[in-house]
Amino acid sequence: KQEVTQIPAALSVPEGENLVLNCSFTDSAIYNLQWFRQDPGKGLTSLLLIQSSQREQTSGRLNASLDKSSGRSTLYIAASQPGDSATYLCAVCPNSGYALNFGKGTSLLVTP
Amino acid sequence: DGGITQSPKYLFRKEGQNVTLSCEQNLNHDAMYWYRQDPGQGLRLIYYSQIVNDFQKGDIAEGYSVSREKKESFPLTVTSAQKNPTAFYLCASSIGGQSGELFFGEGSRLTVL
């Protein structure tokens, strides 16, 4: 069964810092990988979707990379802001089925 | 605006009662999903539907039921058979299966008293 791990579980950084969130998965046979943001008590917001044939995707200050062979993805946030404070989740879509496998998330706090 | 609407946002239930959570989308998506989120755990799939009048069990379907009579609607019933129903429930949709980008509603928090 696909296992998705996110490290660290929590992270606190000062405003303006660049940071990297990590996501690893055990089965490299994936169709795509998605990064989401979740604010407390809210639903998930899709940030970036990387297809298995892609190496990275960018949206504004966010850049997500994918290394399928090593089972890793990173989410890079440039020039962090207090508004970036949230939980970030990654989810892997396997080739074999329709069920996304989610990590437990990284809780990010950006302090002014 | 296009999106997914879940209601109610908060729901309290006595033990032994069935409750139904509503999920409506106006994104014209074929596929819809129900997830459960518990503190410290990843999201777990309860049921999904790829097309009207068809749905499949996810990883934790026991004690839940769904229907898909209209493309826009995918209600979830939490039955009295669900042993630990207190959780945050999230509905999602995508254009064509979970291989597409997933869009989520704002969630419904169910508390069993």
Side-chain angles (χ1 to χ4, degrees), chain A residues 1 17 25 28 32-33 40 44 49 51 55 62 65-67 72 81-82 91 102:
Chain A
K1 186 180 184 295
E17 196 162 294
F25 46 94
S28 63
N32 63 36
L33 183 146
L44 279 66
L49 172 68
Q51 301 294 347
R55 295 285 291 181
L62 305 180
S65 67
L66 175 64
D67 184 342
R72 293 182 182 181
Q81 303 170 358
F102 281 83

Side-chain angles (χ1 to χ4, degrees), chain B residues 16-52:
Chain B
Q17 289 182 333
N18 294 351
V19 293
T20 297
L21 307 180
S22 170
C23 178
E24 303 278 332
Q25 55 100 357
N26 60 3
L27 299 169
N28 200 32
H29 286 171
D30 289 314
M32 297 186 74
Y33 316 86
W34 275 105
Y35 287 90
R36 171 180 171 141
Q37 187 176 36
D38 295 284
Q41 296 198 35
L43 272 70
R44 293 181 290 169
L45 182 65
I46 305 172
Y47 268 98
Y48 65 97
S49 168
Q50 298 176 57
I51 197 169
V52 174

Side-chain angles (χ1 to χ4, degrees), chain A residues 1 31-32 34 36 38 41-44 46 49 51 89 93 98-100 102-104, chain B residues 9 35 37 40-43 45 48 50 88 90 97-102 104-106:
Chain A
K1 186 180 184 295
Y31 192 88
N32 63 36
Q34 274 188 257
F36 295 90
Q38 185 176 30
K42 303 287 190 181
L44 279 66
S46 178
L49 172 68
Q51 301 294 347
L89 298 101
C93 180
Y98 281 84
L100 280 182
F102 281 83
K104 295 181 181 181
Chain B
K9 189 170 177 61
Y35 287 90
Q37 187 176 36
Q41 296 198 35
L43 272 70
L45 182 65
Y48 65 97
Q50 298 176 57
F88 190 51
L90 289 159
Q98 295 202 64
S99 57
E101 187 175 9
L102 219 58
F104 281 83
E106 287 291 286

Side-chain angles (χ1 to χ4, degrees), chain A residues 12 43 63 65 78 85 110:
Chain A
S12 180
N63 176 276
S65 67
S85 298
V110 181

Side-chain angles (χ1 to χ4, degrees), chain B residues 49-56 67-71 73:
Chain B
S49 168
Q50 298 176 57
I51 197 169
V52 174
N53 292 324
D54 185 53
F55 48 83
Q56 286 80 39
S67 63
R68 187 86 187 277
E69 297 177 1
K70 298 187 300 181
K71 186 176 184 177
S73 179

Side-chain angles (χ1 to χ4, degrees), chain A residues 79-93:
Chain A
S80 59
Q81 303 170 358
D84 294 330
S85 298
T87 297
Y88 291 81
L89 298 101
C90 72
V92 171
C93 180

